[in-house]
């Protein structure tokens, strides 16, 4: 028996999220199926981040246990010949038998992309949120200052969370603009349910001039989901990488 | 009667090219249909660039004639509510009645994108050509030097061309690399059938070390399509803009 680690990229458009579900096509479900076909075992991967329906990944991660004699690093190329084009294993390797991709220290990097222009770009429609109201990137940046650091992010978490604590640390948030495409890049030691999308929705309110950036301090203090901005749509979000 | 000019963006993935065809879904066919529904007339647009099946556009152009009382600039928003998400009219305006988008001086800018990495990126799979062999961008740049300027591009043109002359002028070709994504950006006063894709295929041979960049001078002189590299796949190509 050995444990194999994989880095996984996918276009979330066609999937009902990462986590396996009955009667819905998910990234985890597809990978389990292909790995089980390859090995003849009943393989069940353990994912690092259970991204929501429509959310993309360039660097999600997962582990699985197998008695197969296939070397750890050979799973990536072998799986890629079997997987649909919208899921790719970047690499695979044997790892420690007790390595768990969720129960360990890591830094996660997410990007939220907003196409901010009077007319949507058809080539970016699946990988960005479209917003025609001009956004003030400087105001969005001011808003980020109140979010960086260790805080109780209860106001930035969907109400149906099962998390034991809502305290998290954000290491950095960068807001950049290149032509019409705004990218919010956020690094932290873990994120609550919908936290990045609620942060994106709240920063967009700052960008539209509908929320003064300094109000974010009060929103955090209130610990009230109703005070923060809306949850921004899933398709703008990509899990970029997880550093263990 | 007035003539209306439109700038058009589309994701070419789902279309059998720009130009109208019987029994195939094309960008021109879809726009004609929606414009005819809107106006009650039998509208037939005249496109600037009849891009191939699978080729994308951020800035193609077209004109059409109409007796409609809809102001020129209102066609863009009205059409966008009717068009599928993968076609968007960037703007529209009334233009001179004798303006023809193909029979006039213009500068066209194309980009050819190559994702150059051991494993494809699912998020770029529809908008770039995947190449796992490492490409030497410097060698590709050397190759471009022989192509810039006025030349007979007969060697870089698919054999079934109907062009009267195969002489064209390329104003510039830039090859840039950002992480794993290589972009060939090319500007010219017009391009022969498949010319940009054959240039991309030939520069990739230089990048792989299979063709010495200076050989491109001989390829041009030979006026023989067989001497140039293969036609690179359509999905890597985007018509970026047309400057009139």
């Amino acid at each position: 028996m050995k444990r194999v680690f994989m880095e996984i990229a996918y276009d979330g458009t066609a999937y009902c999220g990462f986590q396996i579900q009955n009667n819905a096509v998910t990234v985890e479900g597809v990978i389990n199926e292909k790995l089980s076909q390859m090995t003849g075992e009943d393989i069940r991967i353990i994912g690092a981040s259970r991204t929501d329906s429509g959310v993309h990944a360039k660097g999600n991660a997962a582990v699985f246990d197998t008695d197969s004699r296939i070397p750890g690093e050979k799973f990536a190329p072998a799986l890629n010949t079997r997987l649909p084009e919208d899921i790719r294993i970047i690499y695979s390797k044997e790892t420690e038998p007790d390595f768990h991709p969720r129960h360990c220290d890591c830094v996660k990097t997410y990007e939220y992309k907003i196409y901010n222009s009077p007319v949507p770009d058809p080539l970016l429609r699946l990988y960005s949120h479209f917003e025609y109201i001009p956004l003030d990137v400087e105001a969005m940046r001011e808003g980020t200052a109140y979010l960086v650091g260790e805080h109780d992010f209860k106001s930035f978490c969907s109400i149906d969370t099962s998390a034991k604590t809502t305290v998290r640390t954000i290491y950095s948030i960068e807001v950049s603009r290149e032509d019409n495409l705004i990218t919010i890049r956020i690094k932290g030691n873990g994120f609550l349910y919908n936290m990045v999308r609620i942060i994106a929705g709240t920063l967009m309110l700052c960008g539209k001039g509908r929320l003064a950036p300094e109000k974010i301090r009060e929103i955090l203090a209130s610990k009230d989901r109703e005070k923060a901005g809306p949850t921004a749509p899933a398709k703008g979000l990509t899990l970029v990488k997880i550093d263990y």
Side-chain angles (χ1 to χ4, degrees), chain A:
Chain A
M1 178 75 81
K2 66 185 164 204
R3 179 157 282 198
V4 176
F5 174 92
M6 303 186 290
E7 191 180 14
I8 308 168
Y10 48 86
D11 177 341
T13 307
Y15 296 95
C16 293
F18 186 85
Q19 192 171 194
I20 200 158
Q21 290 178 43
N22 291 327
N23 309 317
V25 181
T26 68
V27 177
E28 182 176 1
V30 170
I31 296 175
N32 281 351
E33 182 197 327
K34 302 300 179 188
L35 273 175
S36 299
Q37 284 171 5
M38 268 175 66
T39 58
E41 300 169 304
D42 180 22
I43 303 274
R44 303 187 184 200
I45 63 172
I46 303 169
S49 184
R50 289 167 291 189
T51 56
D52 268 343
S53 184
V55 172
H56 314 292
K58 284 176 188 277
N60 203 344
V63 298
F64 63 91
D65 293 324
T66 178
D67 287 318
S68 160
R69 281 185 294 182
I70 301 171
E73 67 277 15
K74 296 292 185 198
F75 278 97
L79 262 176
N80 284 336
T81 65
R82 289 168 170 82
L83 285 167
E85 273 196 326
D86 53 4
I87 304 179
R88 279 292 169 270
I89 310 300
I90 307 298
Y91 75 93
S92 58
K93 63 173 185 185
E94 198 172 333
T95 189
E96 300 301 310
D98 62 347
F99 176 80
H100 189 292
R102 287 199 300 279
H103 305 151
C104 63
D105 287 337
C106 70
V107 179
K108 287 184 180 170
T109 305
Y110 281 92
E111 282 184 353
Y112 196 89
K113 291 190 181 286
I114 305 154
Y115 190 73
N116 188 33
S117 171
V119 180
D121 180 343
L123 300 184
L124 294 173
R125 75 190 188 286
L126 302 174
Y127 311 109
S128 62
H129 167 56
F130 170 66
E131 176 55 66
Y132 67 91
I133 299 171
L135 296 173
D136 176 350
V137 167
E138 214 32 72
M140 294 171 72
R141 284 192 189 119
E142 278 177 50
T144 66
Y146 302 94
L147 294 163
V148 173
E150 186 182 271
H151 298 285
D152 185 336
F153 285 99
K154 196 162 192 297
S155 305
F156 291 86
C157 174
S158 284
I159 289 165
D160 51 349
T161 186
S162 59
K164 284 175 211 153
T165 165
T166 48
V167 174
R168 293 290 184 278
T169 301
I170 293 180
Y171 300 121
S172 64
I173 311 179
E174 290 157 28
V175 185
S176 58
R177 179 166 194 134
E178 202 182 318
D179 297 325
N180 295 327
L181 190 65
I182 295 171
T183 301
I184 302 169
R185 190 176 170 98
I186 180 163
K187 283 188 193 207
N189 69 348
F191 293 91
L192 298 163
Y193 187 50
N194 282 160
M195 181 169 149
V196 180
R197 290 165 59 189
I198 298 168
I199 288 175
T202 305
L203 292 176
M204 278 192 272
L205 289 183
C206 297
K208 290 175 190 173
R210 292 188 192 157
L211 178 73
E214 61 270 21
K215 287 277 177 193
I216 288 179
R217 193 200 307 264
E218 290 168 35
I219 294 171
L220 276 170
S222 74
K223 298 181 191 171
D224 177 1
R225 168 68 190 92
E226 298 288 305
K227 295 282 192 288
T231 305
K235 66 179 184 170
L237 185 62
T238 299
L239 170 57
V240 174
K241 61 176 175 167
I242 306 175
D243 295 304
Y244 288 105

